[in-house]
């Protein structure tokens, strides 16, 4: 019998007890093949697998690790909080402190409620919109992901796209009957829908820069059109900034974009600093409809957990202008190098950005504006590229539909390692092209 790596053994053991061996499907290497890397620890820009192998990490826990992994001050804040008690089921001042930090960055989040996951934040925002308007219909865009609650699991982007699933079994037709899915970036489609059914629509929920079908930024004026038609028909506009919030700028996509004023926001990922914490925020009159003040029910045993709030407060405190400048610079350099590598290897590709977030669509030669065009990418070429990078010690998200996440810890020496790995990986992608 040959050597079994610790990693393969870990995957085999986990697969015997956990479906697919993973606690969330995007972690499985379903679309790229092979065994997922089992992580033992992480520090700064690196993750280490159970065999002790070091990788430059471009997953960043799918977004939270803005400062790099296990930032000493964040870890110290969590340790200090843990020593004071893990959970009380009673309010703490730290919750108000974190909510104030959110509002300081996104002043339209006049009031903020803390929850544990982005899924809950989006589910609650939708319930709140329906409760506030007394209307049933919800509009979302194909390829945008808003968590895995039933009503939002229609044409929901990365996780499903990666697995080649149109939607989820177990979601009843009734649960999605009141969700209308439109193509992203098609202002004419949203105008037409509102002209016909505007007075039945509770809300439009959108990723204001889509990041779960690869990176698909909004076209000029698209978000403004969403604001205009929702306002004209008494519907609400929800910006889901679970991924972009506090990552693409201190005030998220909303701050980068300027001008559009949504009614509600959802946040997650960075706001929890790597702990299970998310939030929704927005107009005070709407937020005050939440229980206990109002009739829209929402609750959570571990909501506003003291360890999670400590991580979030420390992360936002440390995420100053210099952090965003470093993350932007790292993304600029890497995006340029990735483009250069695929160009020299003769691989048609389109690299798209939303601030410091970027992704590359292989085998595509015109801009990707919506989910249908994202699905034209060559996932076989990505698979070859992904494994070549992994073999060279660079861990990319294991899906062609995900953004690459850099952190403030990705300095030039770290980026050099990625850049060194790019040419042969790009060549491998070219050799694997399906066309
Ligand atoms: C990750 C994500 C969610 C879901 O957050 P979870 O914490 O995984 O439930 C919702 N919306 C967007 C835009 C996301 O990227």
């Amino acid at each position: 019998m040959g050597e079994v790596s610790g990693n393969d053994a870990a995957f085999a053991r986990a697969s015997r007890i956990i479906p697919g061996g993973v606690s969330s499907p995007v972690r499985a290497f379903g679309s790229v093949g092979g065994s997922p890397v089992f992580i033992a620890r992480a520090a700064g820009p690196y993750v280490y697998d159970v065999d002790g192998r070091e990788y430059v990490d471009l997953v960043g826990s799918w977004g939270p690790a803005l400062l790099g992994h296990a930032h000493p001050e964040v870890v110290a804040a969590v340790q200090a909080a843990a020593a004071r008690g893990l959970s009380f089921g009673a309010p703490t001042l730290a919750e108000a402190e974190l909510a104030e930090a959110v509002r300081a960055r996104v002043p339209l989040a006049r009031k903020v409620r803390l929850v544990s996951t982005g899924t809950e934040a989006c589910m609650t925002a939708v319930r709140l919109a329906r409760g506030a308007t007394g209307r049933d219909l919800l509009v979302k865009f194909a390829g945008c992901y808003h968590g895995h609650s039933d009503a939002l699991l229609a044409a929901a982007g990365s996780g499903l796209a990666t697995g080649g699933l149109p939607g989820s079994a177990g979601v009843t037709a009734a649960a999605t009957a009141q969700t209308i899915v439109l193509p992203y970036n098609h202002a004419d489609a949203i105008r037409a829908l509102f002209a016909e059914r505007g007075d039945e629509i509770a809300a439009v929920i959108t990723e204001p820069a889509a990041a779960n079908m690869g990176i698909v930024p909004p076209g000029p004026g698209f978000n403004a059109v969403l604001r205009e038609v929702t306002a004209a028909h008494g519907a609400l506009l929800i910006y889901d900034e679970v991924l972009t919030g506090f990552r693409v700028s201190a005030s998220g996509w909303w701050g980068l974009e300027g001008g559009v004023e949504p009614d509600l926001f959802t946040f997650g990922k960075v706001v929890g600093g790597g702990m299970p914490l998310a939030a929704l925020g927005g107009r005070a009159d709407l937020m005050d409809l939440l229980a206990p003040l109002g009739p829209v029910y929402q609750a959570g045993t571990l909501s506003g957990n003291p360890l999670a709030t400590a991580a979030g407060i420390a992360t936002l405190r440390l995420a100053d202008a210099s952090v965003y400048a470093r993350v932007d610079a790292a993304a600029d350099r890497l995006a340029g190098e990735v483009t250069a590598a695929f160009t020299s290897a003769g691989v048609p590709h389109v690299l798209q950005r939303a601030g410091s977030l970027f992704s590359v669509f292989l085998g595509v030669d015109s801009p990707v504006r919506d989910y249908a065009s994202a699905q034209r990418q060559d996932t076989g070429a990505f698979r070859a590229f992904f494994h070549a990078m992994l073999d060279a010690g660079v861990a990319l998200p294991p899906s062609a539909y995900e953004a690459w996440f850099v952190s403030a810890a990705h300095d030039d020496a770290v980026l050099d390692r990625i850049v060194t790995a790019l040419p042969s990986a790009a060549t491998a992608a070219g050799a694997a092209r399906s066309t």
Side-chain angles (χ1 to χ4, degrees):
M1 211 172 105
E3 281 286 299
V4 176
S5 78
N7 212 65
D8 289 340
F11 185 47
R13 177 174 166 188
S15 298
R16 282 193 294 273
I17 183 71
I18 295 172
V22 293
S23 297
S24 188
V26 290
R27 298 176 197 171
F29 277 19
S31 70
V32 292
S35 301
V37 176
F38 274 61
I39 304 301
R41 66 188 179 89
Y46 302 114
V47 291
Y48 300 85
D49 71 12
V50 291
D51 293 319
R53 181 150 188 240
E54 179 181 270
Y55 301 84
V56 175
D57 183 35
L58 289 170
V59 181
S61 184
W62 303 91
L66 179 72
L67 305 171
H69 291 287
H71 188 289
E73 289 181 52
V74 177
V75 171
V78 172
Q79 286 170 334
R84 293 189 295 266
L86 300 181
S87 178
F88 314 123
T92 65
L93 215 42
E95 294 161 68
E97 189 181 343
L98 180 55
E100 286 162 2
V102 167
R103 186 175 61 187
R105 287 162 173 253
V106 183
L108 289 180
R110 295 304 307 158
K111 286 200 164 180
V112 175
R113 165 83 33 111
L114 302 181
V115 297
S116 298
T117 67
T119 293
E120 281 182 271
C122 294
M123 182 184 79
T124 302
V126 168
R127 184 179 302 150
L128 183 53
R130 286 173 164 156
T133 59
R135 300 173 179 182
D136 292 343
L137 293 184
L138 173 73
V139 179
K140 80 173 286 286
F141 297 104
C144 287
Y145 182 63
H146 306 293
H148 64 99
S149 72
D150 283 5
L152 290 168
L153 213 46
S158 58
L160 295 162
T162 303
L165 302 172
S168 173
V171 174
T172 63
T176 52
Q178 291 167 327
T179 305
I180 296 176
V181 181
L182 292 183
Y184 196 71
N185 268 334
H186 292 241
D188 45 345
I190 191 97
R191 285 193 197 282
L193 175 69
F194 268 86
E196 202 187 318
R197 306 189 69 178
D199 60 356
E200 297 170 67
I201 297 169
V204 172
I205 185 167
T206 189
E207 288 185 66
N212 282 287
M213 49 176 146
I215 295 297
V216 180
F222 179 65
N223 288 335
V225 168
L226 301 185
R227 178 67 291 182
E228 177 200 316
V229 293
T230 47
H233 290 86
L236 302 181
L237 177 61
I238 305 169
Y239 263 25
D240 177 356
E241 293 228 43
V242 168
L243 198 152
T244 50
F246 317 119
R247 173 162 272 281
V248 297
S249 85
S251 46
W253 184 260
W254 171 80
L256 270 190
E257 169 182 78
V260 176
E261 301 201 345
D263 303 290
L264 294 169
F265 291 85
T266 55
F267 304 109
K269 299 190 169 104
V270 171
V271 76
M275 296 288 286
L277 186 143
L280 65 151
R283 279 166 42 192
D285 62 319
L286 295 172
M287 293 298 293
D288 283 349
L289 294 174
L290 288 174
L293 294 182
V296 179
Y297 197 68
Q298 184 279 327
T301 301
L302 295 176
S303 291
N305 173 267
L307 276 62
T309 49
I313 291 166
T315 298
L316 292 188
R317 178 169 43 78
L318 290 160
D320 59 10
S322 78
V323 160
Y324 291 104
R326 288 211 296 285
V327 173
D328 284 347
D332 286 348
R333 177 171 172 211
L334 204 48
E337 298 282 6
V338 168
T339 302
F342 284 116
T343 302
S344 334
V347 180
H349 65 281
V350 172
L351 184 141
Q352 297 195 165
R353 295 189 61 169
S356 59
L357 291 165
F358 69 91
S359 73
V360 60
F361 299 91
L362 300 180
V364 166
D365 49 22
S366 55
V368 172
R369 296 182 61 240
D370 57 21
Y371 194 36
S373 45
Q375 287 174 306
R376 280 186 216 119
Q377 68 182 314
D378 185 340
T379 52
F382 178 81
R383 169 197 289 246
F385 177 70
F386 170 85
H387 278 291
M389 293 297 281
L390 194 67
D391 289 346
V394 178
L396 292 171
S399 164
Y401 289 91
E402 301 288 354
W404 300 24
F405 295 97
V406 295
S407 80
H410 286 72
D411 62 16
D412 270 323
V414 174
L415 296 178
D416 287 345
R417 285 175 54 173
I418 304 172
V419 171
T420 305
L422 283 171
S424 63
T427 302
R433 279 187 64 207
S434 61
T435 48

